Amino acid sequence: MSDEHGFATRAIHAGQEADATTGAVVPPIYQVSTYKQDGIGGFRGGYEYSRSANPTRTALEECIAALEGGSRGFAFASGLAGQDCVVRSLLVPGDHVVVPSDAYGGTYRYFNKVARPGGIDHSIAKIGDVDAVRAAIEPGRTKMVWVETPTNPLLGIADIEAIAEVAHEAGAVLVVDNTFATAYLQNPIALGADIVTHSTTKYSGGHSDVVGGAVVTAPEISVPGYGDAEERIAFHQNSIGGVAGPFDSWLTLRGLRTLAIRMERHCDNAERVVDFLTGHEGVAQVFYPGLDTHHNHDVASRQMKRFGGMVSFRMKKGEDAAVKACAAVQLWTLGESLGGVESLIEHPARMTHASVAGTELEVPADLIRLSVGIEDVDDLIADLQEALDIHG
Ligand SMILES: *Cc1c(COP(=O)(O)O)cnc(C)c1O
């Protein structure tokens, strides 16, 4: 599969040659742990043991690498397993990381309660502000800048190109969590990122039926001391073992094939929902990178194809109204996670971001987060309107 092919073509064909034996047009689920050797060490296609490599997982890893324009992809049992592998592969105790002031709650919990007791310290920076990121870097100690853009749940936008420059000047690698935008809307490697991570649980899988993660390395990592990032991650993926299983890999790959058309529809629907929310008198503020009132709308326009399917908003009447509105909807499903075909609504302060309560990453209590699905948008808006008219 050539890099010249368009996104949808790569999504359907990269890593997905027809099966050599049977001609099966999609990669089969190789539900197997070990492989017959033709004499000791005579591996067929390099397959030895399925923690090290499995053909269904290889198909997914090649596809995601092709979609991100990276040199190599790695598939994990969850987004967090992938993130952990990146941190353990590239950092040692004594190193320092700059992390975003708005991020997936589990990412911050990882840095605060897993990495830090393990000797890897962090500083928090407003990720939408390049100068704040620069100021948070501790020269000589900071080895990694971690960026999520758009952020979860406040839809903050980081300028990937500018932050890549700041990180590289300091001798640090830039990791971008591209879960919200997906490879379809944004390619951080082309903007200077060294590593891209995904929770493929979300849009990449896209059907709320599988948990998974992916890591993609840039073809050239020019930061001194990190040129072998790809080998280090490969070594740690196998040595720690948080890999994606064959069936999960197969489901995620099945999701990726329709990512392009799903994302277009997610964006169409989100834009309509944003229009509705900005016009509703019960709503105090709407967060969406596509709004020209968004603090980094220009950056988002530069680095994203469109603005995605995630929207959040604050209720004028406060926390109680937000909680009640979340419970009043019928068609929207009250639940955590995001990025599936079905629309979800949630209250971050009590649900996805409960783990950051009392930290610098605490989110407003009157905030509602929407994952706008691909249903008929008029139905989605009618349902929201009913809930907001009562509680707004
Ligand atoms: C969900 C999520 C994660 C964690 O992924 P899991 O698959 O749940 O482990 C990381 N980053 C972002 C932005 C997420 O939304």
Side-chain angles (χ1 to χ4, degrees), residues 78-80 83 104 107 148 152 177 179-180 199 201-202 212 338:
S78 71
L80 284 175
Q83 295 183 191
Y104 174 66
T107 298
E148 188 179 304
N152 181 357
D177 181 341
T179 298
F180 269 35
S199 169
T201 312
K202 316 296 168 49
L338 59 109

Side-chain angles (χ1 to χ4, degrees), residues 5 41 56 80 98-100 157 159 193 210 215 223 234 250 253 295 315 371 375:
H5 286 101
T56 316
L80 284 175
V98 176
V99 301
I157 295 290
D159 186 334
V210 62
V215 171
V223 183
W250 186 87
L253 194 53
H295 72 288
M315 296 288 286
S371 171
E375 299 97 333

Side-chain angles (χ1 to χ4, degrees), residues 86-98 111 115-116 118-123 138 140-144 171-173 225-226 232:
V86 168
V87 170
R88 292 206 216 195
S89 301
L90 303 185
L91 302 177
V92 293
D95 288 348
H96 174 261
V97 193
V98 176
F111 280 112
R116 190 157 68 175
I120 295 164
D121 203 2
H122 66 264
S123 299
E138 297 186 8
R141 246 188 105 215
T142 303
K143 296 293 163 59
M144 181 180 284
V173 288
Y226 291 91
R232 288 201 223 178

